[in-house]
């Protein structure tokens, strides 16, 4: 799922070749993002487009040879000047008189030609890791066509047409491994390999044989450029040496911005740095020094920005509980929430102030739903494939805290904020607290998916490295729960254990509940108040705030129909959540279907039994109120399979069912067993919200 869909799209035809383009946003000026190579399409810019399009108009297109553009067979049709002609056609088709031109790798060369030959169309040129045949630099690897593997430099024996003609897939992996040479670049590498798979060896050969702009021509172009130029180049670039970019800036009178240690494609690996540098360049050449502030002017009193995870509704319940306690300690405190549906619905019901920029957040819940397959959700891969959404939402957060000064930032599993702040620690402008109930990733089954195990370990290693490199970036790290509620497992080969590392880097507070369980001990009175009545077995079923549990709800309904045959007076309240229409589910005698319930925990607290998904918040609310329950964790969901199940085992709570082996008959039997059971759970220590509020209050100035 994309972080932003185009506002418009279409095709241009240049000399018979169709080229696909997109337009995003409607601000000024227009930025033209050029392609860089026929092995890569416009998806390379996915980390830039959502941010830039909130401020400007962004136009980009797939190169001939990849994406939705044509793949001509003649080498002449891949000449450097053909890509420049495509850029002009796209500018014309999108009614763009002049644009700030941005190019990475060979896109820097094509941008240079566009700026030199058509100066009336170019406001400025921003080049990233440009690949130019600049004299006297003639021996860099890009641009050399090794016809014989034996003649290639050591380590580059695969960089030749013989190899890619024989084994194109292996060549693509090899080449992009050189591009994505930075540590912890597994996702960028996977993306690049995926882009490369959308073309073929014949196209690459035709491109390699195409007429190229030579050294003398490029020298002339460099002397003709009269627009502002900025060149950003990674000093660790294995494809195009950084001295090329430095020389380009020198010969055009532009500014050179080195990226220390970075590889060839920093727009994918270091998007925040690249995005801000692009924006700074645009502002300088257009005279737009400041954007209008989004939020209200600075007011008297202290202000807190709270970022609450939208994955499920459990986070916002505990967040509100902590905020209530925090306001008791700081009555003057103003809290603004950066949040998205379904969390915003809960916040509005609670009378909270939602920052207007929240409407621009890319939907994380919709992404998770799109990744689900029945009752299976490969949660680690889903989070990994959400990279452009996380980057877009961090960039929005960065804009918000740049427009308004806050006295404290709090993120409840705000993974995007935490990750990109550690990648860009200078972006921190206020005290920052991070809280979570899960730490790191554990592969769901390393025997079945060794790739997941390897990549999980890499992600964990990056997290551990971030904390070691910037130990004071977080002013407070709170783990919600006791350390022994974490699995006794390793983060990966050669890495520390989950529990021991969490003890070193997190403070612990007792589990935070959105209510006081003592107030819900009189279940008969509670059932009467809620309109359920008494004198019959009451079951409650729910699957959380997304639509991933739709299949489970169907199976529960069928199981309840079977249960009624042996327990005819049983009734069930089925809460489908805000994203599943109750009318989609079957009608069963004794089954009441409801959508969103703002205080669902009250209904759970008076149930004789419950059957739920494997989400932590719902199951822990059942533990706290001593209710018997059955839980069905999502398959391939690392958190529900490992972290939640371990925590419930710690509390001696719940009966686990695996969805794959549990049809309606098994559901009915489990519900009946739960109705007959008497829980003996380990108690949930109260006061977690108050202790969390004490720690947060200490970060606010007196």
């Amino acid at each position: 799922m994309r972080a932003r869909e185009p506002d418009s799209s279409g095709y241009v035809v240049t000399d018979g070749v169709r080229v696909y383009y997109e337009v995003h946003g409607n601000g000024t000026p227009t930025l033209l993002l050029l392609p860089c190579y026929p092995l890569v399409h416009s998806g390379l810019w996915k980390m830039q487009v959502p941010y830039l399009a909130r401020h400007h108009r962004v136009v980009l297109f797939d190169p001939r040879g990849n994406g939705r553009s044509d793949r001509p067979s003649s080498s002449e049709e891949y000449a450097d000047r053909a890509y420049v002609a495509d850029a002009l056609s796209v500018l014309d088709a999108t009614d763009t008189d002049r644009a700030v031109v941005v190019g990475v790798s060979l896109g820097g060369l094509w941008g240079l030609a566009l700026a030199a030959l058509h100066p009336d169309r170019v406001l400025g040129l921003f080049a990233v890791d440009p690949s130019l045949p600049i004299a006297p630099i003639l021996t860099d690897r890009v641009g050399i066509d090794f016809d014989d593997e034996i003649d290639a430099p050591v380590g580059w024996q695969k960089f030749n047409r013989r190899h890619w003609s024989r084994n194109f897939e292996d060549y693509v992996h090899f080449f992009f491994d050189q591009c994505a040479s930075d540590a912890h670049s597994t996702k960028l590498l996977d993306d690049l390999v995926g882009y490369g798979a959308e073309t073929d060896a014949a196209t690459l050969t035709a491109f390699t044989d195409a007429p190229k702009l030579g050294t003398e021509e490029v020298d002339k172009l460099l002397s003709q450029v009269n627009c502002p130029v900025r060149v950003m180049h990674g000093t660790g670039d294995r494809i195009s040496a950084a001295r090329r970019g430095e020389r380009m800036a020198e010969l055009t009178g532009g500014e050179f911005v080195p990226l220390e240690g970075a590889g060839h494609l920093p727009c994918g690996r270091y998007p925040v740095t690249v995005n801000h540098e692009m924006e700074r360049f645009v502002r300088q050449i257009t005279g737009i020094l400041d954007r209008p502030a989004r939020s209200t002017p600075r007011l008297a009193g202290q202000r807190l920005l709270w970022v609450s995870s939208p994955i499920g509704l459990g986070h916002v319940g505990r967040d509100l509980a902590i905020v209530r306690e925090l306001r008791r300690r700081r009555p003057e405190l103003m809290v603004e929430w950066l949040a998205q549906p379904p969390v915003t619905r809960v916040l509005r019901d609670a009378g909270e102030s939602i920052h207007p920029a929240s409407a621009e957040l890319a939907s994380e819940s919709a992404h998770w739903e799109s990744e689900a397959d029945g009752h299976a959700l490969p949660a680690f891969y889903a989070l990994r494939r959400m990279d452009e959404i996380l980057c877009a939402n961090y960039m929005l957060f960065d804009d918000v805290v740049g427009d308004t000064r806050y006295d404290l930032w709090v993120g409840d599993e705000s993974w995007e904020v935490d990750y990109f702040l550690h990648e860009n620690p200078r972006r921190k402008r206020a005290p920052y607290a991070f809280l979570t109930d899960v730490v790191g990733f554990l592969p769901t089954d390393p025997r079945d998916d060794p790739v997941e195990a390897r990549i999980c370990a890499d992600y964990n290693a990056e997290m551990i490295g971030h904390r070691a490199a910037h130990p004071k970036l977080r002013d407070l790290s709170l783990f919600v729960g006791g350390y022994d509620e974490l699995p006794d497992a390793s983060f990966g080969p050669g890495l520390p254990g989950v529990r021991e590392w969490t003890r070193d880097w997190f403070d612990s507070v007792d589990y935070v509940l959105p209510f006081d369980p003592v107030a819900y001990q009189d279940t008969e009175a509670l059932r009467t108040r809620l309109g359920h009545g008494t004198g019959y077995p009451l079951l409650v079923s729910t699957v959380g705030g997304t639509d991933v549990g739709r299949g489970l709800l169907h199976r529960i309904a069928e199981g309840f129909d079977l249960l009624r045959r042996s327990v005819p007076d049983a009734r069930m309240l089925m809460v489908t959540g805000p994203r599943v229409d109750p009318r989609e589910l079957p009608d069963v005698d004794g089954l009441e279907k409801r959508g969103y319930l703002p205080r669902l925990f009250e209904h759970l607290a008076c149930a004789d039994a419950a059957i739920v998904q494997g989400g932590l918040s719902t199951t822990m609310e059942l533990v706290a109120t001593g209710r018997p329950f059955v839980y069905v964790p999502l398959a391939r969901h690392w958190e529900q399979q490992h972290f939640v199940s371990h925590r419930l085992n710690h509390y001696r709570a719940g009966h686990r069912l695996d969805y794959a082996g549990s049809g309606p008959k098994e559901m009915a039997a489990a519900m009946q067993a739960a109705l007959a059971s008497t829980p003996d759970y380990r108690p949930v220590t109260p006061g977690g919200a108050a202790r969390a509020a004490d720690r947060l209050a200490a970060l606010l100035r007196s």
Side-chain angles (χ1 to χ4, degrees):
M1 180 175 171
R2 298 177 70 173
R4 181 187 176 106
E5 296 294 334
D7 296 299
S8 63
S9 61
Y11 288 88
V12 296
V13 179
T14 308
D15 295 330
V17 177
R18 288 198 327 156
V19 170
Y20 173 78
Y21 69 85
E22 293 180 350
V23 180
H24 298 255
N26 55 15
T28 57
T30 295
L31 278 70
L32 176 65
L33 309 184
L34 296 173
C36 70
Y37 199 44
L39 285 184
V40 180
H41 58 60
S42 58
L44 179 68
W45 297 113
K46 67 179 182 176
M47 302 296 223
Q48 281 68 54
V49 169
Y51 169 68
L52 295 173
R54 283 195 287 107
H55 306 301
H56 312 290
R57 181 170 177 260
V58 179
V59 177
L60 66 162
F61 62 97
D62 288 337
R64 46 180 67 203
N66 205 319
R68 302 185 193 185
S69 294
D70 286 350
R71 292 149 178 76
S73 58
S74 168
S75 60
E76 286 75 15
E77 292 174 295
Y78 292 99
D80 288 334
R81 293 182 184 274
Y83 288 96
V84 176
D86 288 341
L88 288 170
S89 296
V90 169
L91 289 177
D92 291 339
T94 58
D95 296 321
T96 305
D97 293 330
R98 303 182 75 192
V100 177
V101 175
V102 181
V104 61
S105 191
L106 283 172
L109 171 63
W110 301 330
L112 169 67
L114 189 62
L117 300 175
H118 305 276
D120 57 318
R121 308 301 297 271
V122 179
L123 288 167
L125 174 61
F126 188 96
V128 182
D129 292 356
S131 294
L132 310 180
I134 302 176
I137 303 168
L138 299 174
T139 57
D140 287 334
R141 293 157 183 151
V142 165
I144 296 177
D145 173 31
F146 297 117
D147 288 317
D148 192 327
E149 298 176 34
I150 298 175
D151 294 336
V154 174
W156 281 79
Q157 291 85 352
K158 295 181 179 181
F159 193 76
N160 64 87
R161 72 181 67 213
R162 291 185 181 181
H163 185 72
W164 74 58
S165 296
R166 288 197 306 262
N167 191 338
F168 182 69
E169 181 179 357
D170 184 66
Y171 170 79
V172 168
H173 275 272
F174 156 75
F175 179 72
F176 286 131
D177 194 49
Q178 309 307 312
C179 293
S181 58
D182 310 86
H184 310 299
S185 295
T186 58
K187 182 58 172 66
L188 174 59
L189 177 59
D190 284 356
D191 286 342
L192 294 170
V193 169
Y195 303 151
E198 295 193 35
T199 189
D200 53 33
T203 298
L204 182 58
T205 298
F207 173 81
T208 303
D209 291 340
K212 298 291 190 294
L213 291 168
T215 302
E216 292 184 5
E217 292 174 287
V218 170
D219 283 345
K220 185 177 180 180
L221 293 174
L222 288 164
S223 68
Q224 292 176 329
V225 172
N226 56 21
C227 68
V229 174
R230 181 165 299 159
V231 182
M232 172 179 276
H233 212 124
T235 62
D237 191 340
R238 297 181 182 177
I239 302 298
S240 180
R243 60 187 182 274
R244 281 179 162 178
E246 191 172 8
R247 184 70 170 149
M248 178 182 179
E250 177 186 341
L251 295 176
T252 59
E255 181 183 355
F256 180 68
V257 181
L259 274 175
E260 292 300 326
H264 186 57
L265 296 172
C267 49
R269 182 61 182 84
Y270 306 106
V272 173
T273 300
V274 174
N275 291 351
H276 282 298
E277 197 61 40
M278 283 186 189
E279 178 68 4
R280 186 171 74 91
F281 180 64
V282 172
R283 289 195 199 181
Q284 287 180 352
I285 65 175
T286 59
I288 305 173
L289 299 181
D290 292 294
R291 291 189 305 271
R294 292 171 170 270
S295 56
T296 57
R298 176 67 181 169
L299 303 175
Q302 295 175 306
R303 177 174 286 181
L304 180 154
L305 182 67
W306 197 295
V307 184
S308 186
S309 171
I311 307 303
L313 293 175
H315 302 92
V316 70
R318 73 180 176 213
D319 295 343
L320 285 169
I322 295 170
V323 167
R324 284 194 295 268
E325 292 289 340
L326 192 54
R327 285 184 174 128
R328 292 191 179 102
R329 292 151 178 79
R330 293 285 193 275
E332 79 290 350
L333 182 65
M334 294 176 288
V335 179
E336 289 184 311
W337 299 77
L338 190 63
Q340 57 183 283
V343 169
T344 46
R345 181 171 182 175
V346 179
L347 294 173
R348 288 191 184 97
D349 288 347
E352 293 290 328
S353 174
I354 302 170
H355 195 288
S358 297
E360 299 180 56
L361 288 165
S363 177
E364 296 180 26
S365 293
H367 169 81
W368 283 79
E369 291 168 358
S370 72
E371 291 278 339
D373 180 13
H375 198 68
L377 174 60
F380 171 70
Y381 287 117
L383 183 68
R384 195 166 180 262
R385 285 189 285 264
M386 199 165 66
D387 56 341
E388 65 181 285
I389 292 175
L390 294 176
C391 182
N393 289 345
Y394 169 78
M395 296 302 301
L396 182 65
F397 164 85
D398 190 83
D399 276 357
V400 167
V401 298
D403 291 338
T404 301
R405 184 171 68 84
Y406 291 93
D407 298 283
L408 178 63
W409 305 339
V410 180
D412 184 347
E413 295 193 10
S414 54
W415 302 111
E416 71 280 21
V417 172
D418 199 67
Y419 176 82
F420 286 110
L421 280 180
H422 278 90
E423 287 277 288
N424 305 272
R426 294 183 180 180
R427 306 302 301 177
K428 182 187 173 187
R429 304 178 180 90
Y432 164 57
F434 178 77
L435 48 92
T436 182
D437 55 44
V438 60
V439 180
F441 303 98
L442 295 176
T444 49
D445 192 335
R447 295 168 299 179
D448 290 345
D449 190 352
V451 173
E452 182 187 29
R454 174 177 56 81
I455 301 175
C456 274
D458 183 72
Y459 272 55
N460 291 333
E462 184 176 31
M463 172 189 69
I464 292 167
H466 275 161
R467 299 297 293 127
H470 307 290
K472 296 182 179 180
L473 187 137
R474 293 183 195 160
D475 296 274
L476 177 63
S477 298
L478 281 183
F479 175 69
V480 181
Y483 299 117
D484 53 357
E485 295 174 38
L486 285 164
D488 186 13
S490 168
F491 281 123
L495 298 176
V498 174
R499 284 186 191 173
E500 63 185 83
W501 188 82
T502 304
R503 285 182 187 274
D504 290 340
W505 290 97
F506 283 82
D507 292 333
S508 169
V509 294
D510 296 306
Y511 191 81
V512 177
L513 293 164
F515 61 93
D516 180 3
V518 175
Y520 294 91
Q521 291 181 340
D522 189 342
T523 56
E524 289 197 4
L526 183 57
R527 283 175 64 162
T528 300
R529 176 168 68 81
L530 295 175
H532 293 305
T534 60
Y536 60 87
L538 173 66
L539 296 101
V540 175
S541 60
T542 181
V543 293
T546 70
D547 73 352
V548 175
R550 180 182 277 107
L552 176 58
L553 289 173
H554 276 273
R555 194 168 290 186
I556 290 172
E558 295 170 3
F560 178 70
D561 192 27
L562 295 177
L563 175 69
R564 291 265 296 182
R565 299 177 187 178
S566 55
V567 189
D569 60 340
R571 298 184 191 178
M572 174 178 281
L573 171 66
M574 177 172 282
V575 183
T576 65
R579 298 176 72 90
V580 177
D581 188 340
R583 293 172 296 182
E584 298 179 23
L585 299 166
D587 294 319
V588 176
D589 287 343
L591 175 65
E592 178 188 0
K593 295 174 291 183
R594 300 281 296 275
Y596 168 69
L597 281 177
R599 295 173 65 84
L600 175 59
F601 63 83
E602 293 186 331
H603 301 269
L604 292 169
C606 65
D608 293 299
I611 182 165
V612 299
Q613 206 181 79
L616 179 63
S617 299
T618 300
T619 54
M620 284 300 293
E621 289 168 9
L622 290 163
V623 173
T625 53
R627 301 292 89 195
F629 66 95
V630 178
Y631 68 102
V632 189
L634 289 166
R636 302 196 66 198
H637 193 297
W638 101 91
E639 183 179 1
Q640 293 190 13
Q641 290 288 329
H642 292 302
F643 287 86
V644 177
S645 292
H646 173 82
R647 195 182 297 234
L648 294 178
N649 288 338
H650 169 81
Y651 282 96
R652 303 190 298 268
H655 173 67
R656 173 173 171 160
L657 279 184
D658 288 327
Y659 185 83
S662 302
K665 182 178 178 181
E666 288 75 19
M667 295 278 175
M671 287 187 270
Q672 187 162 1
L675 286 171
S677 67
T678 302
D680 181 25
Y681 302 155
R682 188 191 300 265
V684 179
T685 305
R691 280 183 277 279
D694 285 338
R695 300 303 309 277
L696 292 173
L699 298 180
L700 291 163
R701 58 181 173 82
S702 301

